[in-house]
Amino acid sequence: MKKKTWQKAALYVIITAVTICFVFPIYWMLLTSVKSNDVIGRLPPQFIPKSVTLANYIGILGDGKFLIFYKNNIIVSGITTMVTLALAVLASYAFSRYRFKGDKFVLMLFLSTQMFPAMTLLIALYNMYFRLGLLNTYTALVLACSTNTLPMSAWILKGFFDTIPKSLEEAAYIDGCPKGKALFMVILPLVKPGILAVGLYSFLISWEDFLWGLTLVNKTEMRTLASGIAMTYLGEYNYDWGRVMAAAVGAAIPILIVFIFLQKYMISGLTAGAVKE
């Protein structure tokens, strides 16, 4: 009994320590966002604030740039999600239903693009977008973000399509339903969990993008949140940590809402197509 009690106590200690490690950065971000810069730089740091100020939030809302970054992020993330869903549905359906020579190799080659870091594609994509005149446009950001989200999204949806028996489509064909209509009217309603999971995945990846927003855009009015915060509130000699943390809190709100209200749908969607019955 004593041994089991010590094991439980040790387990609770480990869980508490891990929880603190994950929660403390969030607490410190919130705490720093309501401090003035002179208080932020003091040593030893204040873990419990003696005074709270909303000047940092008023500042980022008042200068207008943060709202522009927010608008750009919503546009890029929303369009990226729609583009990824449209292409992933068609690609995953084709990989699931049609067999051709080398189909497995093509699928693995398609997925292997996730193995390469975005830095390896940066120079090539930048030169291509420069020649096409797409720099400082939503199109460049959407295309770049879609290259990150599409392979994994197609792979996830293929698992869902594999679980749908072909007899359903054959019955629809017998009733005179065309292939395209059968896909959208019969098959897609059955893979809604997968579509939701892929949509959330694409939105989260594009919302948190930093690299493409930093390199493909050099105009302030076209920057997204991550790159805009870094280029506006972080300088070579002066860091406005109060506004940085206030902007980070604002940027994290949509992610927090998605995590709180939709995490169960995302988890169930990612696991529902994992096993073929």
Side-chain angles (χ1 to χ4, degrees):
M1 293 296 293
K2 291 183 178 180
K3 184 177 180 181
K4 290 184 178 180
T5 302
W6 279 107
Q7 288 177 346
K8 287 184 178 180
L11 180 61
Y12 289 143
V13 170
I14 294 174
I15 293 175
T16 303
V18 172
T19 302
I20 292 175
C21 290
F22 280 100
V23 173
F24 181 77
I26 301 175
Y27 168 75
W28 192 251
M29 178 180 68
L30 293 171
L31 185 64
T32 305
S33 68
V34 294
K35 289 181 181 180
S36 58
N37 284 322
D38 58 334
V39 176
I40 294 173
R42 289 181 184 176
L43 291 175
Q46 292 183 2
F47 294 99
I48 299 178
K50 296 180 180 179
S51 61
V52 174
T53 177
L54 298 178
N56 296 319
Y57 291 95
I58 296 173
I60 63 173
L61 294 176
D63 63 10
K65 293 181 181 179
F66 177 75
L67 296 179
I68 293 175
F69 302 153
Y70 220 98
K71 179 199 69 173
N72 294 337
N73 226 45
I74 292 175
I75 293 174
V76 172
S77 300
I79 298 178
T80 298
T81 301
M82 291 187 290
V83 170
T84 300
L85 281 175
L87 297 178
V89 165
L90 297 177
S92 58
Y93 180 78
F95 282 125
S96 176
R97 289 296 189 261
Y98 298 101
R99 295 290 179 264
F100 52 90
K101 188 175 181 180
D103 56 344
K104 293 183 178 179
F105 173 76
V106 174
L107 179 61
M108 293 303 300
L109 185 65
F110 188 71
L111 187 63
S112 66
T113 57
Q114 295 291 100
M115 299 171 56
F116 300 99
M119 293 295 296
T120 60
L121 304 174
L122 186 60
I123 297 177
L125 286 180
Y126 184 90
N127 288 332
M128 182 175 66
Y129 292 156
F130 175 76
R131 293 177 180 178
L132 294 174
L134 295 178
L135 296 180
N136 294 307
T137 63
Y138 292 131
T139 303
L141 294 175
V142 169
L143 291 176
C145 291
S146 298
T147 59
N148 290 341
T149 58
L150 182 57
M152 184 60 68
S153 299
W155 179 270
I156 294 172
L157 280 178
K158 180 184 178 298
F160 283 87
F161 284 120
D162 288 341
T163 62
I164 306 299
K166 294 183 179 179
S167 57
L168 293 177
E169 295 170 90
E170 293 172 354
Y173 299 155
I174 293 175
D175 291 337
C177 184
K179 288 187 177 182
K181 190 174 181 179
L183 171 61
F184 288 99
M185 300 298 293
V186 178
I187 305 301
L188 287 188
L190 300 177
V191 295
K192 281 183 179 179
I195 293 176
L196 180 59
V198 167
L200 293 175
Y201 166 77
S202 303
F203 181 81
L204 294 178
I205 294 297
S206 55
W207 183 270
E208 298 173 352
D209 170 67
F210 174 75
L211 181 63
W212 302 120
L214 183 66
T215 56
L216 300 179
V217 172
N218 54 32
K219 293 182 179 179
T220 302
E221 62 272 15
M222 289 299 300
R223 292 198 181 277
T224 52
L225 272 174
S227 60
I229 292 172
M231 298 300 293
T232 303
Y233 304 117
L234 296 178
E236 185 177 358
Y237 302 104
N238 183 30
Y239 291 170
D240 194 347
W241 287 116
R243 292 195 177 189
V244 169
M245 293 303 175
V249 171
I253 289 177
I255 306 300
L256 185 63
I257 293 175
V258 168
F259 179 78
I260 292 176
F261 295 101
L262 300 177
Q263 62 168 326
K264 63 178 181 179
Y265 300 106
M266 185 173 184
I267 294 174
S268 63
L270 291 174
T271 57
V275 179
K276 183 177 180 180
E277 299 180 354

